[in-house]
Amino acid sequence: MHTTQINPTTASRLISGLQQIPDNWALTPVTDNKRPYRQDWQQETALTRQTLIQELQSDKAKGYGIRTGEVSGGILAIDVDGHAAEARLQNLSDGGLPDTVIFSSGKAGRRQLLYLVTEDYWHVVKTVKLKTGVKGDDGKEQLLEFRWNGLQSVLPPSVHPETGSYHWVRSPQDIEVANCPNWVIELMLNQQQSVPVPQPCLLPVLTTVSTRPPLSIFLGREDRDLVEHGTGDGGRNSAAQKLSLNLIATARRLQELGIDYDGDPRALYDQFCYHCTPPLGSDVRGESEGWWKNADTHAKQPSLDDEKLQGCYTAWLNKQKGTHSQNRLTVQKSIVSTDNSLLSVPPLTIERISRQDSQSIVSVVSGILASNLDDVEESFKLDLLCTELGINQKIFDRIVARERVKLDEVLPEDEMRLKSLIEWRNNKIDWDSILPAPLARDLIHDADVLNVDPVVICQPLISAVASLAGTTINLDMQSHKIPSVLWTVTVLESGGGKTRADSLVVAPLRKMQAEAVQRYKDADNDYKRALKQWEKGGGEGDEPEPPALRKYLFEVATIQAVLKRSAENADNGALWARDEIAGLFNSLGQFSKGEDESLQILLKLWDAAALCVDRTSLTDSYFAERTAVSVTGGIQPGVFRKIFKDADDNNGLQARMLFAVPQRRKQRYIEGFCQLSDRLPLLYKWLEQLPEINVKISPQAKAYYKKLVEVIGDQIEQTTHAAIRNWMSKLTTQVLRIALNLHLIECFYSPNSRDITTLQKDTLERAVKLAQYYRSAFHVLQEKVSNSDEISSILLQIYERALQTPDGVSARDIYRPLDSIKSRAKAAGREVSAYTQDLFLKLQSMGYGEIVRKGRSVKFVALNIENVEKPFTTTDNTDNEEKQISKALDSEPTNVSDSHCQSLTVSTDNNVLHVDHLNVNVISSTKDIAEDKSISLLQVEKSGGEISSFVGCQVQVRSLSGNIKYEGELTKYDPANGFIVVATADRECTAHVREAFVIG
């Protein structure tokens, strides 16, 4: 056989090819003959991409295959092994092959198609191989194979022994994997029935009305479902034992109660056996008969008690008479009779009822669910309704599950929480109340020039200031000293402008580093000459000391190099700046003891702790009595969880970071000169020349800080989110570190009005305000990157993902990367795709976007809520009268200044986490709200007034700081939860009464 050989696919090409393959596909490495080589590869946990890359780099792997089946999220591969197999596929499909992902080895007539099997069928379908009777060029029979669990299909661009490599016909980048056609599922189910089982013989259906109720209506829901649908392999025997006992016990009890029924319990049991997969008794003869004989001896108690059996009978009688109660539906039914009475009421499907009827059914179901019944009574009423209507059980269960999601899945407090999280995007920091006026002005100006959020510049700036203060400036708290060390991380997508901002701030440090290197070279030359002279003189006198390189800046460096240089610069600090902070953490593995030990050493650097490193050679050993390494860098949201892998942050790595989540600005062309290019070199030089200073804290600032610590301590105890709890445990220290560096900046800009040796209370207050931003930013970040199954977190992630895709996101785009949404869908009894669409509907009803339908395609398109930027507020939605620090500070002899921080409160885990720092009134409107004629609905509620009497009036909804969010007509009031609905010019909005003021 003639074959054409081409060069094997290189490792780099294979690694590059991974970018086209979805992350949730489980891959296994293969050799150049297409075979997997890892032991127990069918059972092992799905490999990470990093592990797979290591296999490819080892030169053993020549490609990779997708593990079909459940492990890859339900991917089925149809392997067409030649022209005969293709002809059989076309014959089976009869044109029913949806367009999908396709790849080929390049051999004639060979291709593979991938389809997505819904989770409902995962446990019942199995691999099927169909013979064609035609042999190919290799002498082997051409097969048509439907691959499921335990198999793999080699993917492009893996090596193929004959054609060179596989190639994509339609790659996952070109098209989504289509849903598996129904005929394929049926084919895979039918092929499993190894022993033919006679189908229960049904006599022709008669059109006479049955005078006796069918036995099936007296069974519980689970038993009826078993009769209609059977069960899968692995659960057949236990189901047969349970059903046979219930059938016989129910029939006997009905006879004892004098209720005459139609049908035979054994006929229902045979129906169950036939519907099992595979049919019970098809693989082990006599198995089904054994369970029935056993039940005939031991059956005692039916699944329904006497009251429910009588209720079923009464409902059937009412239906026969046509006298329905007020809450029941009138639906056309044809009551028919068969010889075994299995279907005395034929299933009522969606196709057999009008839209009006289906809406009526939904309305009744919703009414039952909204009645707040106990679970037993609710189940009984739903069971009775389903039986009376004759609806297919699966359809009815889907209706119930959907309506339950509508009623219970997203509560009013979840809506308010989501609202505050989304609106947080439009908040901004009031830089004039935090920084000296000249610096605030330059920061805002340069941010406009660079087209970035000002916080993107502030992040590296405060770390740079801290690094120059280094080990020489500390805040003396008597019991301990607070070092000048800050670690800042900016979370922003690629292309957001972080590199431009970093260059502005770090450029003067680079220049200072270049000058230091030149000084070092000159000093080193002098040292070498002096050393030669000393050696020529026979070593008399003191040996010359070698110079040390002053390090201002680390960029690309290992942790070992940073430690070494820090020991040589014990009297100075340094900045470790990485454009992508991921590179810093990736470098940790280069340390000789591995990543874990390196990480522990890195954590000690934040504490500015002494470090002692011993090596075999004394020249390679060093000791640093003091360290002061500040860190700054950026990270993309999608990379966050890959770097900070521990969601609970047990090692405290995230807790040491000050994260900023800036708003990405729309790309535009701007010209201008950055003012900080001139200012920062002067600031850095001034910091460099400062002598060693122990800054004291003033008595007023200390009293203020003491109460701050107490309140934050109380809030830590109330916090259930592990990562936020760990972050808050270091919040008080972070506040002092921020305050120390703000103090130094203030002393530079106001040398005559500031005593550099004393930290004042107003500076501490400004630090608290900046810490407030970091606190809320960290909380929002956790919501965006976490796998929390909190519904508000899931809704936020749907909204954020949709914002990034102008054409909208499909249900599959959402649930594939979010395990939390899958678990909630399962708990709600909904198929994950339908559940995701339920959440789309909820977001649409809340005004955050719209659902776009095109054929069967359903997408959610997010509305970018571009409110006017407002002064920074928190993500909390609770009453700020609770536990405010401002109240605790009322006893202070010194009044709180206007620069005080607003209360920092955040909700998580359905509990309110208050870190209510300081009270502030920041009102941006031209008129003081306290002086207007509006009526507070909160005051109306507290005074016992009727808020509902204001329905139809114009109201304003205001933030806690007094800003007007929106206004419109009050259309609805919910007294149970304290919420109102306001109709604005473009949408309906939900708000709490405490936010609302009647204006006319």
Side-chain angles (χ1 to χ4, degrees), residues 461-473 484 509 512 550-552 571-575 628 630 680-681 683-690 741 744:
L461 176 57
I462 60 173
S463 288
V465 170
S467 71
L468 289 165
T471 59
T472 60
I473 311 291
S484 179
L509 282 178
M512 293 169 70
R550 167 69 166 102
K551 284 298 293 182
Y552 293 95
D571 294 333
N572 299 291
L575 178 67
S630 291
L680 292 184
L683 171 62
Y684 292 173
K685 201 66 176 178
W686 180 82
L687 289 166
E688 168 74 4
Q689 295 173 352
L690 286 177
N741 286 279
L744 295 175

Side-chain angles (χ1 to χ4, degrees), residues 10-21 53 56 64 157:
T10 63
S12 60
R13 185 181 172 193
L14 288 168
I15 294 171
S16 176
L18 291 173
Q19 298 177 5
Q20 295 198 58
I21 300 174
I53 290 172
L56 295 171
Y64 35 75

Side-chain angles (χ1 to χ4, degrees), residues 1-15:
M1 180 177 64
H2 175 73
T3 61
T4 301
Q5 297 287 341
I6 65 174
N7 291 329
T9 307
T10 63
S12 60
R13 185 181 172 193
L14 288 168
I15 294 171

Side-chain angles (χ1 to χ4, degrees), residues 4 52 80 106 161 228 278 295 300 314 366 391 451 453 627 633 635 655 835 856 871 905 918 960:
T4 301
L52 184 61
V80 184
E228 292 178 14
K300 295 180 180 180
T314 301
S366 181
I391 299 177
N451 197 29
D453 189 323
T627 59
I635 192 169
Y835 176 82
R856 291 187 58 84
T905 56
L918 303 173
L960 299 176

Side-chain angles (χ1 to χ4, degrees), residues 346-393:
L348 181 63
T349 62
I350 295 298
E351 289 76 14
R352 294 184 53 221
I353 59 180
S354 68
R355 177 173 178 82
Q356 182 178 2
D357 289 333
S358 65
Q359 289 176 339
S360 300
I361 295 171
V362 170
S363 178
V364 173
V365 169
S366 181
I368 293 174
L369 295 176
S371 299
N372 295 322
L373 306 173
D374 64 62
D375 57 343
V376 175
E377 187 177 2
E378 181 184 276
S379 298
F380 176 70
K381 287 195 173 185
L382 291 171
D383 244 7
L384 198 61
L385 177 64
C386 181
T387 302
E388 183 178 346
L389 295 174
I391 299 177
N392 177 280
Q393 187 67 53

